[in-house]
């Protein structure tokens, strides 16, 4: 995003008052205005000539029926001269000629309205033929248009309000305004310009209108604008700056779009459909915003459907679907909140796309809240391609509450949701399901959620069937990259990552998972570690009160995997039915794998896990060159082909206190240490607990110590273990190491 300190000049082009003069051109269907008709018109926008003298005192409303341009002009002149509201009824279609006489007023150019007037079109068309705009409503004046079709209006170059300019009260009901334009620098509001007054557009159609600056259909400069039950289709802006394909608000005003349809509109830069100012209040309710396009090339441009430039934007009970930010680094295919307050409620944001980030929603700072929102099928490109559903840039706050984030896709990171390094991001009572992140690097991925160094909280949620599908993509469900992630009361099920962290990948940072479920998650083969959770680098991971069940790693750590420099703590958790498929002797760790760091397991159950590779070891736990501390834990029913059915340590240091090793087994390759196996010069201190009912296919059904290992066992019940050699204990000859049981040395075991 652009540094805020550099934004003043560009922001001024976004929201300054519509200007005057200088013509541009465009075809009827082009955002570029490359070939706009060069009709020369005369506009009644200078100081108005004095109206005809009014009769004294109020008079009864008059109704006049007209069928020609001259009759219409005369009727408007008389209505202006007569106090009170008048009524004009069109009997047929009328082509509004240029008028006659000198100066301004209703007899020349547009129809100046200086007294309250109702015009009933009866479905007839006022074809302005490029003469001027149709109506110019002066302050303290009310114009009501009913069932009137206005087409081909064109304000003078540099002026705003192609069909209507109103400084008073405007009501457009059951009417259509089409193919009207404003041309020239600063001109806005291809159909309607509400110049600080009040405008109501009800049950109407605004179609194929064009504006050079902003507001392809409607420009509001302050004031209050209400659009109800109206279709805005095929309207567009140019590129200077080119904001608000259908509706644009400048300054401190209020816009409400209610029960309407905003479809197929386009903006040269921002807000293909709707655009809200920094001081504006904008409500979209029960409205469909679909198929709109914003072409802005910068990272803080886009908002294919809606753009909020720092104001207050509320979208409720609506659908934002199939919109696009198409610029090189355009963001926010559906909605872009640029530093403002965005409140999305009971709304569907679906099938939108952006090249850079935020396929559905982009938040650039500010506060963004999603309540009961569906983010579905949104996507980013590859530049860089983050946050398929929602992306936060900078120091903002995002709340995703009671929502559904489903089937979104990111070219790199955060298929569903993406949090920035300075962001605060809360996901609560939300389902994050079936999202994809396609990034190929080891620090890409986060199929469901990606946290890029900020503060992420996930609570009471479901993170299901997401995938990090790139060549080395990690964190199928969640990727915490250098940040702080707090996960509570959340289920991760069926997530997949190519490299590591089927459910959760932590790259350094601090990751806490409490009272949660990690179930049936998996890694691919590259290298395939940490089916449930994987830690990379010198980070900290805490897993507490959590069920880690049925996860699979293609190499190491079917359930949990700790790095060489990591600190990993597991408390009061159940690690059961997980599988590690690595074939090498230093691979496995069906339940947990410690790759040289510090792994602490307390008050837990490690049950029914398997190392299934040809020489896989450590069915329950494998400590590879690290420090393993296990306390008050049951390790039972685990299995490994090679060694250490319950626990394998390859060198390293192991401290077991109050640990029960029960009913663990090894296969026949070679099949040593049914309960516990030491490889190399490992150091083991085992105090309290029991070693019972374990079985080894070859040696040491209970405990197996290498010739160079050091194992000290005190106060442990060792019985009912089975093996062809050394049913309970096996000490590999030549016994250069130390093996003591209750202070007594265990001699080398002989066949």
């Amino acid at each position: 995003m652009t540094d805020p300190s550099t934004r003043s000049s560009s922001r001024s082009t976004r929201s300054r008052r519509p200007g005057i003069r200088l013509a541009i051109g465009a075809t009827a269907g082009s955002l570029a205005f490359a070939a706009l008709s060069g009709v020369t018109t005369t506009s009644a926008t200078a100081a108005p000539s004095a109206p005809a003298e009014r009769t004294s005192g109020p008079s009864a409303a008059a109704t006049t029926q007209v069928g020609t341009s001259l009759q219409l002009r005369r009727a408007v002149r008389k209505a202006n001269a007569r106090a009170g509201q008048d009524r004009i009824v069109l009997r047929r279609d009328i082509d509004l000629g240029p008028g006659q006489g000198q100066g301004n007023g209703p007899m020349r150019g547009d129809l100046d309205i200086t007294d309250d007037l109702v015009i009933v079109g009866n479905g007839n068309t006022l074809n302005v033929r490029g003469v001027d705009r149709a109506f110019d409503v002066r302050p303290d004046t009310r114009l009501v248009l009913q069932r009137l079709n206005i087409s081909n209006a064109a304000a003078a170059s540099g002026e705003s309000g192609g069909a209507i300019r109103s400084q008073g009260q405007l009501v457009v009901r059951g009417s259509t305004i089409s193919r009207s334009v404003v041309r020239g620098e600063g001109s806005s509001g291809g159909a309607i310009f509400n110049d600080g007054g009040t405008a109501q557009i009800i049950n109407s159609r605004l179609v194929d209108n064009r504006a050079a600056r902003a507001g392809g259909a409607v420009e509001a400069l302050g004031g209050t604008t209400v659009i109800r039950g109206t279709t805005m289709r095929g309207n567009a802006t140019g590129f200077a700056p080119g904001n608000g394909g259908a509706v644009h608000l400048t300054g401190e005003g209020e816009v409400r779009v209610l029960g309407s349809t905003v479809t197929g509109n386009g903006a040269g830069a921002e807000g293909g459909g709707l655009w809200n100012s920094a001081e504006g209040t904008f409500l979209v309710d029960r409205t469909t915003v679909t198929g709109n396009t914003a072409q802005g090339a910068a990272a803080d441009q886009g908002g294919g459907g809606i753009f909020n430039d720092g104001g207050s934007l509320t979208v409720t009970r609506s659908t934002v679907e199939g919109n696009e930010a198409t610029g090189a680094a355009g963001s926010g295919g559906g909605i872009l909140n640029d530093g403002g307050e965005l409140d999305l409620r009971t709304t569907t944001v679906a099938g939108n796309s952006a090249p850079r980030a935020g396929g559905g929603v982009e938040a650039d700072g500010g506060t963004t809240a999603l309540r009961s929102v569906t983010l579905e099928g949104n996507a980013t490109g590859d530049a860089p391609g983050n946050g398929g559903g929602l992306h936060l840039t900078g120091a903002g706050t995002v709340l995703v509450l009671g929502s559904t984030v489903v089937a979104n896709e990111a070219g790199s990171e955060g298929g569903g949701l993406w949090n920035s390094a300075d962001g605060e991001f809360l996901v609560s009572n939300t389902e994050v399901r079936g999202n994809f992140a396609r990034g190929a690097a080891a620090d890409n991925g986060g199929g469901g959620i990606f946290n890029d160094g900020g503060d992420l909280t996930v609570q009471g949620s479901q993170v299901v069937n997401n995938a990090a599908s790139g060549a080395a993509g990690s964190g199928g469900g969640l990727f915490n990259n250098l940040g702080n992630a707090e996960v509570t009361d959340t289920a991760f099920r069926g997530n997949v990552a190519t490299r590591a962290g089927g459910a959760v990948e932590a790259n350094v940072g601090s990751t806490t998972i409490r009272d949660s479920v990690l179930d049936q998650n998996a890694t691919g083969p590259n290298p395939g570690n940490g089916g449930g959770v994987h830690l990379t680098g010198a980070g900290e991971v805490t897993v507490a009160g959590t069920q880690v069940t049925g996860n699979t790693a293609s190499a190491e750590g079917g359930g949990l995997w700790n790095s060489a420099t990591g600190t990993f703590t597991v408390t009061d958790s159940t690690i059961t039915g997980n599988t590690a498929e690595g074939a090498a002797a230093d691979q496995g760790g069906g339940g947990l794998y410690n790759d040289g760091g510090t792994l602490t397991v307390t008050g837990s159950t490690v049950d029914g896990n398997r190392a299934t590779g040809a020489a896989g070891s450590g069915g329950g736990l494998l400590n590879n060159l690290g420090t393993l501390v296990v306390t008050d834990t049951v390790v039972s029913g685990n299995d490994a082909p090679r060694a250490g059915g319950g626990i394998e340590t390859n060198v390293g240091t192991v401290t077991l206190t109050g640990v029960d090793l029960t009913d663990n087994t090894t296969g026949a390759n070679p099949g040593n240490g049914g309960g516990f196996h030491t490889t190399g010069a490992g150091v083991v201190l085992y105090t309290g607990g029991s070693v019972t009912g374990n079985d080894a296919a070859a040696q040491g059904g209970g405990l197996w110590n290498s010739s160079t290992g050091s194992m000290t066992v005190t106060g442990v019940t060792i019985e009912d273990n089975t093996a062809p050699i050394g049913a309970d204990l096996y000490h590999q000859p030549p016994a250069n190491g130390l093996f003591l049981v209750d202070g007594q040395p265990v001699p080398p075991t002989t066949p």
Side-chain angles (χ1 to χ4, degrees), residues 654-685:
V654 178
T655 301
L656 308 178
T657 304
V659 172
D660 294 328
L661 289 170
T662 305
D663 298 329
N664 303 285
T665 62
T666 71
N669 190 25
N672 298 331
F676 188 102
H677 182 273
T678 303
T679 297
V683 177
V684 180
L685 180 64

Side-chain angles (χ1 to χ4, degrees), residues 168-179:
Q169 300 178 44
L170 173 67
V171 178
V172 178
R173 187 186 302 273
S175 298
T176 296
I177 303 176
S178 63
R179 299 187 300 277

Side-chain angles (χ1 to χ4, degrees), residues 671-673 696-704 722-730 749-751:
N672 298 331
Q699 303 167 349
L703 303 176
W704 196 101
T722 57
I725 302 174
D728 288 326
L729 303 173
Y730 185 94
T749 305
T750 57

Side-chain angles (χ1 to χ4, degrees), residues 24 33 36 154-155 159-162 180-184 187-190 210-212 214:
I24 67 171
F33 283 72
L36 226 175
E159 295 186 356
S160 295
S180 296
V181 298
V182 289
R183 301 161 299 184
S187 60
S188 302
R210 302 286 184 268

